[in-house]
Structure formats: structure tokens, C-alpha cells
Amino acid sequence: MTIAGQIEQLIESLEGAATCDDCITDRLNLSVRSQANAVTRDLGDDKRFDRGKAPCGLCGSTKTVIRHRIM
Ligand SMILES: [Zn+2]
């Protein structure tokens, strides 16, 4: 599976909880954070996801996070 696919799956598995790029990087053992950032930036344009500044559900810091929009 591509990194983009893995990231999408991880965000969906959190069932609406917000997560930041750093937590995605940790969870998926990505080598660099910019990989997660490039993908979440794209997903932010997708109606299925919300991206913005909010507390991360995993690490608790307020930063740019992404969450799956439960319909
Ligand atoms: Zn986090």
C-alpha cells in the first residue's frame, strides 16, 4: 500500500478523532514528517476530511490536525 493509502486508513481508523502530522509519522513509522504533511495537506481538500488547528487527540498539543468527517 502507498504511504498516502496508509495515512488515509489510519485517519479513518481513529473514527473522527483528530491527529497531527507528528502522530501520524510516529504511528506509521515514517522516516520524515514531511511525508505525512504532504499527504494530509492533500486530504485537507477532500470533503471526507477536515483539516485545521485544534488539539490533537493523540498527543494533546494544539496544532494543525486532520480528522475523518463521520457522515
Ligand atoms: Zn499529535
Side-chain angles (χ1 to χ4, degrees):
M1 196 192 284
T2 60
I3 289 182
Q6 289 179 49
I7 291 177
E8 211 173 306
Q9 205 171 62
L10 172 67
I11 297 166
E12 285 174 1
S13 76
L14 295 172
E15 299 179 326
T19 181
C20 68
D21 293 344
D22 290 317
C23 289
I24 291 171
T25 304
D26 269 10
R27 289 278 178 118
L28 296 179
N29 284 315
L30 303 179
S31 46
V32 287
R33 184 180 165 281
S34 57
Q35 283 181 303
N37 186 259
V39 175
T40 58
R41 237 185 0 233
D42 276 358
L43 292 178
D45 295 331
D46 190 317
K47 311 197 271 301
R48 293 176 301 138
F49 299 95
D50 265 339
R51 188 168 189 261
K53 212 156 186 157
C56 171
L58 300 178
C59 68
S61 31
T62 299
K63 48 173 112 173
T64 303
V65 295
I66 188 156
R67 64 180 194 90
H68 188 219
R69 206 190 281 250
I70 309 275
M71 313 232 197

